[in-house]
Amino acid sequence: MNPIWAHILTLVLVLLVMVTIAAGLIYVERRMLAVWQDRLGPNRVGPFGLLQVMADMIKIFFKEDWIPKFADKRVFVLAPMIVMISILMTFAVIPFTPLISVVNLNIGLLFFLAMSSLGAYSIVLAGWASNNKYSLLGAIRGSAQMLSYEVFMGLSLMGVVVMAGSFNLHDIVMAQNKVWYFIPQIVGFVVFFIAGIAETHRLPFDIPEAESELVAGYHSEYSGMKFGMFFVGEYLGITLISALIVTLYFGGWRGPHFLPPVIWFLIKMFVFILIFILMRASLPRPRYDQLMSYGWKILLPLSLLNLLITGACVLYFK
Amino acid sequence: MNVIFYIASIIAILATIMVITGRNAIHSLLFLIVSLLAIGVVFFTLGAPFMAALEVIIYAGAIMVLFVFVIMMLNLGKAYEKMEESWFSYKAWLGPGILCIILLGELIYVFTVTKGSGRQLTVISPQEVGMTLFGPYILGVELAAMLLMTGIIGAYHIGRRKQKEYHRLLQKEEEPA
Amino acid sequence: MLSNIRSMWLVFLRMFHKRVTVQYPEKKNYLPPRWRGRIVLTRDPDHSERCVACYLCAAACPVDCISLQATEDEKGRRYPEFFRINFSRCIFCGLCEDACPTYAIQLVPDFEMAEYNRQNLVYEKQDLLIDGQGKYHGYNFYKVAGVAVGVKEKGGGDNEDKPVDIKKLIP
């Protein structure tokens, strides 16, 4: 087949699969939350309630897509697009198998950091454009949280980069042929995981959209498909962070040979997605200053120390 | 790559013009972000992917968010837009405008004189950037690090919590201590 | 940190516990016979209406959902001309049942009264009246009441003496 067509096919495939997984997570999350809370969850629409996703989609598509009169219209429309685009762009650099990856970028990890830092705009702009005090408060919290946690996220990743000697995600997976990086990089893994939760502003770090304090935070004024984009964007974020954890710390597509690599990748990814959901089911939300001081006073020194020790070890054993 | 380079440069120029002429502060900032992203693409096409990534992460991703953050907090309304309109008076932009036109002329002159320098594109990998930074330019890196350190210390000093304020009933107990 | 992981583990273990959800339309919970649900109007053992239209239920109702109009038949028996309960207002408190002197108004264990049209929740007398006697079998108000309206002769009721013949001298 023509390589360009193969390339486009991969692109479309990855996009479709990821958006489908993200939409499916709406069902998975509700169901798993219920399972962990002794309930049953959605089980009416279709077999095991699987068509609940379809019902939700139809509902969200046919809702009135209302833009408040007091909102800044252009920015209001722009904000939900940014979240989708910035996250979907990042999937381009993730190697799902040795063969399936959209682009083999030699700055893959930096590309992820760049895109996740652009993701902060969606929150800031959504909150500002809504012209609503709760949204603005959510936006302020969200931007401060994402900016600070990006720092530790980047620093915790540098340990992996030092060990693999490359920003390329393919090379990082290839370098994990002896041992998966979560063993030597356990500190980096923990910091990255926590920063990842804060970055996707999931519970327990969902402070920008804390329902009990800020209505719905930065997306209070959104409805219909624009809200749906934020909603799916959140699940895409979970999928992305899980995929990155798998790629960086859990050997990507590697696994025993009785299953194809892509299956291994998806299995590992879903384990982490489930851990994300489990965290939502079990942990309470910290206070805002607790979140910030936890980040700057514990995670930042920890990730710096991790980077220093990793660098020293790499130099010593070389 | 050439086509992408030109598209990105044109976008960068247009976005920058929009930054200057825009009335709404947030919209101007958004155009500035677009301009920075376009410059990132330009860097990428010129064979500096590391630079491009840093441009997006640091400028577009971190610094501009802070700008947006601050302007959001200022809560500029319609009144401010009116005020800004008054600043676009003939006197205000004439001086800078003339200076800019001179600069533009010089730029065009430089480009026309030194045409066909035969730019050889070599892709510079992150490793090479690191080697250069911590090799010949180590002094600059150290100086920048020191500057950042002073910045952090200064920020800490400014942001340090002032002496604790006590309730008026508790103040007397604390005074002798 | 460790306590967080512990609580996550404990929540994870809930997976293997029994569900508390009841699959409602298929599986219904037991409702006790005295459960206060939909309001009905019961009938006497002899199949005529128990309600004497005394308005006590309407007066007792805290949300004013009962409205009725009293009238009499040719024998002098009081009955409601119309009896209307607006179930979109009713809070199923059971005060009407307490207030009723004739056990006519009773609350039965049924709460499934959803309607698409709110007007359908206004029940008229023919919707409220049931054929049975409800919770109090064999009770007939006019059998124990003093007044005779064709159910019994005067003084012919239960625990009731014959009326004194004031023209007789025998005590």
Side-chain angles (χ1 to χ4, degrees):
Chain A
M1 196 162 41
N2 194 336
I4 292 173
W5 282 113
H7 210 76
I8 290 171
L9 194 71
T10 324
L11 188 94
V12 172
L13 205 74
V14 166
L15 267 182
L16 272 184
V17 168
M18 283 306 139
V19 173
T20 314
I21 285 178
L25 279 184
I26 298 171
Y27 166 77
V28 171
E29 167 152 54
R30 287 179 64 185
R31 192 79 199 213
M32 290 317 289
L33 276 180
V35 161
W36 282 316
Q37 292 168 350
D38 290 358
R39 294 183 287 119
L40 285 171
N43 60 351
R44 291 278 153 183
V45 194
F48 299 106
L50 274 168
L51 293 180
Q52 186 69 41
V53 179
M54 291 302 294
D56 281 353
M57 292 293 260
I58 291 168
K59 181 195 80 175
I60 245 169
F61 270 117
F62 284 90
K63 261 190 175 175
E64 185 186 1
D65 206 348
W66 187 66
I67 297 176
K69 293 282 171 292
F70 45 80
D72 189 319
K73 294 214 172 41
R74 278 180 289 175
V75 182
F76 191 84
V77 176
L78 186 71
M81 292 179 193
I82 294 175
V83 69
M84 290 286 278
I85 291 171
S86 67
I87 292 174
L88 283 176
M89 290 269 276
T90 317
F91 280 113
V93 293
I94 289 176
F96 295 95
T97 69
L99 297 173
I100 305 175
S101 78
V102 177
V103 57
N104 191 353
L105 207 60
N106 62 348
I107 52 158
L109 214 47
L110 288 176
F111 186 77
F112 156 65
L113 287 175
M115 284 304 135
S116 78
S117 65
L118 286 186
Y121 280 114
S122 70
I123 292 182
V124 178
L125 295 179
W128 178 79
S130 297
N131 211 350
N132 167 328
K133 59 188 161 204
Y134 295 114
S135 300
L136 191 66
L137 276 173
I140 288 168
R141 286 175 172 196
S143 56
Q145 172 183 334
M146 286 179 87
L147 271 182
S148 9
Y149 274 78
E150 241 152 50
V151 177
F152 331 129
M153 190 180 232
L155 282 174
S156 63
L157 290 179
M158 288 310 128
V160 173
V161 174
V162 168
M163 287 191 74
S166 170
F167 282 114
N168 190 327
L169 290 171
H170 262 282
D171 295 352
I172 289 172
V173 177
M174 294 311 260
Q176 298 181 49
N177 53 359
K178 286 204 191 80
V179 57
W180 290 356
Y181 278 164
F182 80 97
I183 296 168
Q185 283 292 318
I186 182 75
V187 180
F189 163 62
V190 171
V191 174
F192 179 74
F193 190 69
I194 295 172
I197 303 164
E199 197 66 15
T200 49
H201 37 88
R202 281 282 299 177
L203 274 133
F205 293 155
D206 71 332
I207 289 172
E209 46 193 297
E211 291 91 350
S212 43
E213 306 159 28
L214 298 178
V215 192
Y218 59 91
H219 55 57
S220 297
E221 298 289 350
Y222 282 85
S223 67
M225 206 46 224
K226 292 200 199 66
F227 171 75
M229 275 157 104
F230 277 120
F231 203 56
V232 173
E234 186 181 323
Y235 289 111
L236 275 174
I238 299 172
T239 319
L240 173 65
I241 296 291
S242 306
L244 270 168
I245 288 171
V246 170
T247 316
L248 296 169
Y249 296 99
F250 285 82
W253 65 77
R254 289 176 183 283
H257 278 293
F258 57 86
L259 282 179
V262 66
I263 301 290
W264 274 115
F265 191 92
L266 288 178
I267 287 174
K268 291 179 195 170
M269 198 173 84
F270 268 104
V271 168
F272 280 99
I273 289 172
L274 287 180
I275 290 176
F276 265 94
I277 296 172
L278 178 60
M279 290 190 93
R280 176 176 176 175
S282 52
L283 297 184
R285 182 187 301 137
R287 220 169 51 216
Y288 185 65
D289 60 321
Q290 285 172 338
L291 174 84
M292 290 310 252
S293 61
Y294 179 68
W296 286 106
K297 288 178 183 164
I298 296 174
L299 293 186
L300 179 66
L302 211 62
S303 53
L304 277 174
L305 214 65
N306 177 46
L307 177 56
L308 263 178
I309 292 170
T310 313
C313 287
V314 166
L315 279 182
Y316 184 77
F317 289 114
K318 200 154 78 175
Chain B
M1 269 321 195
N2 244 344
V3 180
I4 294 173
F5 170 80
Y6 284 117
I7 293 173
S9 348
I10 289 167
I11 289 174
I13 292 168
L14 286 182
T16 316
I17 290 170
M18 295 297 280
V19 174
I20 299 165
T21 55
R23 296 282 155 82
N24 190 321
I26 291 266
H27 290 178
S28 293
L29 270 179
L30 287 183
F31 279 117
L32 188 51
I33 293 159
V34 171
S35 158
L36 286 170
L37 289 180
I39 291 169
V41 175
V42 169
F43 275 130
F44 195 87
T45 53
L46 289 180
F50 190 72
M51 198 57 223
L54 285 193
E55 175 94 12
V56 177
I57 294 173
I58 294 174
Y59 281 101
I63 294 176
M64 293 317 290
V65 173
L66 287 180
F67 273 50
V68 174
F69 198 91
V70 170
I71 288 186
M72 235 162 60
M73 302 284 271
L74 291 179
N75 197 15
L76 309 170
K78 285 274 185 291
Y80 181 82
E81 277 180 36
K82 284 264 167 59
M83 196 167 76
E84 197 162 85
E85 245 167 71
S86 70
W87 291 347
F88 277 105
S89 68
Y90 176 66
K91 272 183 208 160
W93 60 259
L94 189 62
I98 290 170
L99 292 179
C100 283
I101 287 168
I102 294 170
L103 263 182
L104 190 69
E106 282 179 350
L107 206 65
I108 291 168
Y109 176 73
V110 167
F111 275 141
T112 47
V113 167
T114 60
K115 62 177 175 179
S117 61
R119 49 197 176 97
Q120 289 285 323
L121 280 188
T122 46
V123 175
I124 297 179
S125 66
Q127 279 100 334
E128 285 169 63
V129 176
M131 298 297 253
T132 334
L133 274 182
F134 287 93
Y137 294 107
I138 184 83
L139 188 65
V141 172
E142 292 289 336
L143 281 176
M146 267 189 231
L147 192 66
L148 285 177
M149 196 66 205
T150 50
I152 289 170
I153 292 169
Y156 174 72
H157 183 73
I158 293 167
R160 199 173 44 154
R161 207 165 281 178
K162 296 285 174 338
Q163 199 169 8
K164 255 190 182 157
E165 284 177 26
Y166 293 98
H167 190 265
R168 66 196 147 81
L169 296 175
L170 292 173
Q171 263 168 359
K172 270 181 195 152
E173 290 171 31
E174 295 298 328
E175 268 168 6
Chain C
M1 189 75 190
L2 277 178
S3 71
N4 282 345
I5 291 170
R6 181 173 165 273
S7 63
M8 275 172 71
W9 173 245
L10 289 178
V11 170
F12 180 74
L13 288 182
R14 299 305 294 184
M15 211 163 149
F16 308 107
H17 283 236
K18 197 171 161 287
R19 309 287 94 182
V20 294
T21 313
V22 178
Q23 293 276 64
Y24 161 61
E26 289 93 47
K27 187 173 167 297
K28 289 182 178 172
N29 264 4
Y30 168 72
L31 291 176
R34 297 176 71 99
W35 203 83
R36 298 200 305 260
R38 183 163 57 86
I39 297 170
V40 294
L41 287 176
T42 54
R43 285 177 190 274
D44 279 338
D46 58 3
H47 232 72
S48 49
E49 288 173 39
R50 267 179 177 165
C51 182
V52 295
C54 63
Y55 296 105
L56 280 179
C57 49
C61 183
V63 291
D64 284 349
C65 69
I66 304 177
S67 93
L68 68 158
Q69 173 65 57
T71 183
E72 282 182 9
D73 63 6
E74 64 277 6
K75 286 175 182 162
R77 176 176 179 145
R78 280 168 65 95
Y79 69 97
E81 190 180 1
F82 65 82
F83 196 106
R84 191 175 293 144
I85 297 185
N86 185 351
F87 277 111
S88 61
R89 278 187 164 198
C90 181
I91 57 172
F92 305 113
C93 61
L95 287 182
C96 46
E97 188 177 14
D98 284 352
C100 186
T102 64
Y103 295 143
I105 196 163
Q106 293 184 9
L107 273 69
V108 295
D110 170 33
F111 59 92
E112 293 156 327
M113 310 207 316
E115 293 281 354
Y116 283 108
N117 186 357
R118 198 166 289 181
Q119 202 57 39
N120 292 346
L121 279 169
V122 178
Y123 279 41
E124 293 292 340
K125 193 164 93 176
Q126 67 265 29
D127 311 316
L128 292 165
L129 264 178
I130 58 168
D131 275 342
Q133 303 169 34
K135 295 172 210 169
Y136 305 97
H137 279 271
Y139 177 77
N140 192 339
F141 175 71
Y142 284 105
K143 279 259 162 70
V144 293
V147 62
V149 292
V151 177
K152 50 137 192 167
E153 292 299 310
K154 193 165 188 182
D158 307 339
N159 304 324
E160 196 181 14
D161 294 334
K162 287 281 174 202
V164 177
D165 189 354
I166 48 167
K167 292 175 180 157
K168 262 181 160 179
L169 284 170
I170 298 165

